[in-house]
Amino acid sequence: MDGKTLRNAIISGANNIINNKTEVDELNVFPVPDGDTGANMSATMKSAIAELSVIEDDADVGLVAEKTASAMLRGARGNSGVILSLLFRGLSKGLKGKVTATPAEVCIAFELGVEAAYKSVMKPTEGTILTVAREAVAAAKAHAKIADSFTEVFRVLVEEAEKSVERTPDLLPMLKKAGVVDAGGVGYLYILKGMKSVIDGDGIIEQGGAGSAKDAIVTNVAGSFDADIEFTYCTEYLVKKKVGANDISALRAFLESIGDSVVVVDDEEIIKVHVHTENPGKALEEGLLFGMLTGMKIENMREQHQVEATKVEQQKKRKLPPKAPIEKFGIVAVASGAGLEALFVDLGVDSIVRGGQTFNPSTEDIVEAILATPAKNVFVLPNNKNIILAAEQAQKMIKDRNVVVLQSRSIPQGISALLSFSPDFDVKENSVQMTLALDRVGSGAVTFAVRDSDFEEKKIKKNDILALDNGKLAYVEKDVTKALIRITKRMVKNDSSYVTVIYGTDISDMAAEEAFRQLRAKISDDVEMVLVNGGQPIYYYIVSVE
């Protein structure tokens, strides 16, 4: 194999996963809107295409592998993207300095990648991409001892990968229960099939219409919502009640018939109204039956989401200038939403990496933020379980300062860790105290289902409201406020003293205040509670219980 062949094979593999990323995403067992496997693997492979497209046809195979590994490491997103980058990093190590490579040498290089990927995961789980990569290369390596044809070796590599993918439900019970195979394994299989197309002489698989670079990088803060928005207009108004307008149940019933997210709050003189609808005029007309309208506000939510998506794209393109490490301590945190970002800055964060559930930041994004933090010791708060591996890879790439990656898996954990930081402690003591703080906080969330699913004996329909307790599905509801109340009541224990409710971009101030009022009435007065406008996407509410 020469450099041109390897280059074209990798580009073909990248295009194939990009074309099929939606299918891979749909294999994810948990139906929450997140930075899904297909999107993350596509984005990671996409980062290599730009680097490979400028490599000359006569380049050595070792150089091609090196450029690929470097680009993928920098562009790795999510756990699946990091593992994928490590598989190709092994290819780089195994082919280093080589002009061409034999089938046996390529198999050994792939094997080095498997070893690196396994070492990167604290508790490797069989029945995942790790298993598929390991079993596929073992079969190919054995065949390479008796065959010197790349076509034959790649045939065995792909065939064994296919068999391994089919076996993943036998190794991972949750896959069998959901009736699916492992998404990461399928994504890797698409990459291998794309490479095989070039090896077999069928040429590069071109990018089709199933996915684009933009889709891969931002599975989007607003665009993913756009497809799930049933009603376009967020309509709010106040009614100055006329004499006799005492029973507002008819108003609430009418609004529920033309929209959702209905909030109708009645006091002696005023009725507060909030509804998402396609007919704001009808909502206003019905309100007139109860009195004079004031404080009208109508917003196009689809338009708002598109504006937000544009902002995200602009933010992703910005570059944070590096700063000399002159301070003792600095902190980097991953967050999404103006309110959350401001909160983290108020708590002492130096650099924010914009990202989270729907768009996992790349390793390079985290490296950039660390270098922009003018400190000799930098603590990194990933605040999402799918970002921890990328943060740990970024840690290894920093040479001029000490980087400590804390295992924060949620926004509440990140906040709790920040509150435990002290500039009077040394690095070790801060690491210990901030890590201990992670276990002192409960993390709840209210979001929505992106697909029909049968998960943990719960029948879930697309757009159902999901309440999560520390990342695990607790309740399936139809009403956002009810889900918030149920998950918070579940999390508050006898020794709980403080609850923070953070509402997202899809919840209006009025709706949040009414939901908080109802929640406050259900929680003991001994528990202090606060409502915060986080402005986060995807999550209607994030709940922190300490």
Side-chain angles (χ1 to χ4, degrees):
M1 179 183 286
D2 57 18
K4 178 183 177 181
T5 303
L6 180 60
R7 179 198 66 190
N8 292 348
I10 294 171
I11 291 174
S12 183
N15 289 343
N16 205 32
I17 179 61
I18 290 169
N19 291 345
N20 293 281
K21 77 179 185 70
T22 300
E23 178 187 329
V24 176
D25 283 343
E26 289 174 350
L27 289 170
N28 283 331
V29 176
F30 204 12
V32 298
D34 58 13
D36 279 338
T37 302
N40 284 333
M41 294 181 78
S42 295
T44 303
M45 290 299 296
K46 185 71 177 179
S47 64
I49 293 179
E51 193 80 33
L52 293 174
S53 63
V54 297
I55 292 181
E56 300 294 335
D57 288 352
D58 60 354
D60 294 348
V61 72
L63 176 64
V64 171
E66 178 188 348
K67 293 292 186 181
T68 300
S70 176
M72 288 180 63
L73 179 60
R74 296 194 309 272
R77 297 174 190 273
N79 293 341
S80 56
V82 172
I83 290 172
L84 185 60
S85 73
L86 291 171
L87 292 174
F88 278 86
R89 187 178 176 188
L91 198 66
S92 173
K93 288 184 176 180
L95 301 181
K96 185 176 181 180
K98 296 187 182 296
V99 177
T100 59
T102 65
E105 289 171 333
V106 170
C107 288
I108 291 172
F110 269 121
E111 195 172 48
L112 289 174
V114 170
E115 292 172 2
Y118 266 89
K119 289 178 181 177
S120 72
V121 181
M122 189 174 297
K123 294 181 180 179
T125 301
E126 297 300 339
T128 65
I129 183 177
L130 293 172
T131 306
V132 175
R134 175 175 56 79
E135 293 182 343
V137 74
K141 183 181 177 183
H143 193 73
K145 294 177 181 178
I146 58 174
D148 59 0
S149 163
F150 263 109
T151 300
E152 277 298 301
V153 171
F154 257 79
R155 177 186 60 78
V156 172
L157 183 72
V158 170
E159 286 179 355
E160 186 60 32
E162 287 178 324
K163 294 175 184 177
S164 184
V165 165
E166 292 302 317
R167 291 192 293 264
T168 55
D170 297 326
L171 299 173
L172 209 51
M174 69 170 62
L175 296 177
K176 178 167 283 189
K177 196 169 185 179
V180 297
V181 293
D182 179 65
V186 173
Y188 188 57
L189 177 59
Y190 274 123
I191 293 167
L192 294 181
K193 285 183 174 180
M195 296 179 70
K196 184 176 182 293
S197 177
V198 172
I199 301 298
D200 289 347
D202 296 328
I204 296 174
I205 293 176
E206 299 296 335
Q207 280 191 44
S212 68
K214 181 178 179 181
D215 291 338
I217 294 173
V218 182
T219 313
N220 71 72
V221 167
S224 63
F225 277 132
D226 200 49
D228 294 297
I229 295 175
E230 186 173 355
F231 301 103
T232 305
Y233 302 100
C234 176
T235 305
E236 297 182 14
Y237 58 86
L238 301 177
V239 182
K240 292 183 178 180
K241 291 168 63 175
K242 64 183 181 182
V243 177
N246 296 321
D247 184 6
I248 65 167
S249 58
L251 175 59
R252 180 181 288 109
F254 176 80
L255 295 174
E256 288 177 347
S257 73
I258 65 167
D260 64 9
S261 298
V262 175
V263 178
V264 180
V265 184
D266 182 27
D267 62 25
E268 293 182 359
E269 298 180 353
I270 295 291
I271 304 172
K272 296 181 179 180
V273 174
H274 170 275
V275 61
H276 294 172
T277 179
E278 287 296 310
N279 301 286
K282 290 183 178 180
L284 296 174
E285 287 177 7
E286 192 70 14
L288 285 170
L289 300 178
F290 294 81
M292 184 173 67
L293 304 189
T294 183
M296 287 84 75
K297 183 173 70 171
I298 300 173
E299 295 179 334
N300 185 318
M301 293 187 293
R302 296 183 193 276
E303 190 175 73
Q304 286 178 326
H305 291 148
Q306 289 303 318
V307 169
E308 185 65 22
T310 301
K311 287 181 181 178
V312 170
E313 281 297 288
Q314 293 172 344
Q315 290 165 356
K316 298 300 287 182
K317 293 176 182 177
R318 70 174 189 155
K319 286 291 182 181
L320 296 174
K323 297 179 181 178
I326 55 177
E327 304 292 337
K328 182 179 179 181
F329 292 120
I331 302 175
V332 170
V334 180
S336 177
L340 280 179
E341 291 177 26
L343 176 60
F344 274 109
V345 170
D346 288 344
L347 292 175
V349 169
D350 298 273
S351 300
I352 297 289
V353 181
R354 289 186 170 93
Q357 194 72 355
T358 55
F359 56 108
N360 299 150
S362 69
T363 300
E364 187 171 31
D365 293 333
I366 300 172
V367 168
E368 182 183 299
I370 293 171
L371 294 177
T373 303
K376 299 173 184 176
N377 301 285
V378 181
F379 293 98
V380 179
L381 295 166
N383 300 332
N384 186 298
K385 65 180 182 180
N386 207 32
I387 299 174
I388 292 174
L389 273 184
E392 290 175 341
Q393 292 304 308
Q395 177 186 39
K396 296 174 183 178
M397 296 171 68
I398 302 296
K399 306 301 181 185
D400 68 338
R401 58 202 80 189
N402 177 45
V403 178
V404 179
V405 176
L406 298 167
Q407 303 292 301
S408 59
R409 301 164 69 88
S410 68
I411 291 295
Q413 283 193 339
I415 293 171
S416 183
L418 283 170
L419 294 173
S420 298
F421 171 80
S422 172
D424 297 327
F425 294 159
D426 59 18
V427 174
K428 183 177 180 180
E429 183 64 16
N430 267 316
S431 298
V432 170
Q433 294 303 320
M434 294 171 81
T435 299
L436 289 174
L438 302 181
D439 294 327
R440 291 198 294 265
V441 60
S443 303
V446 178
T447 184
F448 61 94
V450 293
R451 65 182 76 91
D452 292 348
S453 177
D454 186 354
F455 183 78
E456 293 185 350
E457 300 180 356
K458 293 181 174 66
K459 294 288 186 181
I460 300 171
K461 295 295 183 182
K462 183 179 179 181
N463 294 326
D464 277 351
I465 305 303
L466 307 180
L468 312 180
D469 182 349
N470 289 296
K472 295 182 178 180
L473 180 63
Y475 305 113
V476 180
E477 290 288 348
K478 299 296 182 183
D479 181 77
V480 174
T481 299
K482 186 175 181 180
L484 170 65
I485 292 172
R486 289 191 73 186
I487 196 62
T488 306
K489 286 179 64 179
R490 171 187 169 116
M491 294 171 61
V492 172
K493 310 299 181 185
N494 291 335
D495 60 348
S496 299
S497 59
Y498 200 83
V499 172
T500 303
V501 178
I502 305 168
Y503 64 97
T505 187
D506 259 19
I507 301 294
S508 70
D509 294 343
M510 182 186 293
E513 289 164 5
E514 172 58 16
F516 188 72
R517 183 189 68 78
Q518 293 183 37
L519 177 62
R520 173 71 276 186
K522 301 286 186 179
I523 303 297
S524 168
D525 291 338
D526 295 333
V527 178
E528 186 177 350
M529 296 180 64
V530 63
L531 179 67
V532 176
N533 183 350
Q536 73 272 5
I538 295 299
Y539 294 122
Y540 298 124
Y541 291 100
I542 295 172
V543 182
S544 170
V545 178
E546 299 181 67

